[in-house]
């Protein structure tokens, strides 16, 4: 099982930026814990962070045919990016969206979400633990997709 983790703009500043909202944990620490959990579950995992919308679109496209699932925190692009939404829809890979903060309890503009409708699920407001929850959820979704594909193949 292969998983790609995609982190959007300013998430490289975790541990520094608005600690009262995002907490003190750095992105490398989150990724370290995810790597450990993936290894324990025989999953391969890769990490990508970019502050640029087009680079995130390129990375999602690269996932086509290469990974089984995506965990994405599109950060501010969540609220604006039809391009990222279309890329997720285009590749058709099981995707879980994560937000460290509870975007529904913040400013009005954060209630607009371009991404959620093309994801299997969204996890918001659990802090960095949300990434762990996303991994558990994604592994379950990938297993279900694979089981359905195998059932389909035996029928053909
Ligand atoms: C965020 C929420 C977004 O609204 C914000 O722009 C971010 C981080 C989160 O993880 O809570 O950069 O995606």
């Amino acid at each position: 099982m292969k998983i790609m983790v995609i982190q959007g703009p300013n998430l490289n500043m975790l541990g520094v930026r608005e600690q009262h909202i995002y907490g003190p944990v750095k992105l490398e620490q989150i990724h370290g814990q995810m790597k450990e959990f993936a290894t324990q579950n025989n999953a391969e995992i890769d990490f990508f962070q970019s502050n640029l919308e087009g680079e995130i679109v390129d990375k999602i496209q690269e996932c086509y045919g290469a990974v089984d699932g995506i965990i994405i925190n599109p950060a501010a692009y969540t609220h604006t990016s039809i391009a990222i939404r279309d890329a997720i829809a285009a590749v058709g890979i099981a995707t879980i969206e994560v937000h460290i903060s509870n975007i529904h309890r913040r400013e009005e503009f954060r209630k607009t979400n371009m991404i959620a409708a093309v994801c299997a699920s969204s996890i918001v407001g659990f802090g960095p633990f949300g990434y762990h929850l996303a991994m558990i959820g994604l592994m379950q979704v990938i297993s279900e997709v694979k089981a359905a594909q195998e059932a389909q193949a035996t029928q053909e």
Side-chain angles (χ1 to χ4, degrees), residues 9 11 17 22 73 75-76 78-79 98-101 103 106 110:
L11 293 172
R17 73 182 287 211
Y22 300 111
N73 183 346
T78 306
H79 316 297
V98 174
H99 296 288
I100 295 164
S101 66
I103 52 175
R106 298 181 63 192
R110 294 187 207 275

Side-chain angles (χ1 to χ4, degrees), residues 80-142:
T80 61
S81 182
I82 298 169
I84 292 175
R85 177 201 180 105
D86 284 352
I88 296 169
V91 296
I93 299 168
T95 299
I96 311 261
E97 172 199 26
V98 174
H99 296 288
I100 295 164
S101 66
N102 185 345
I103 52 175
H104 307 296
R105 294 183 62 183
R106 298 181 63 192
E107 300 94 330
E108 275 305 305
F109 64 83
R110 294 187 207 275
K111 292 183 181 147
T112 300
N113 189 329
M114 298 291 175
I115 309 299
V118 291
C119 292
S121 181
S122 303
I123 295 173
V124 306
F126 282 102
F129 185 59
Y131 289 99
H132 185 76
L133 296 175
M135 288 186 75
I136 296 170
L138 184 60
M139 285 174 182
Q140 176 65 25
V141 171
I142 292 170

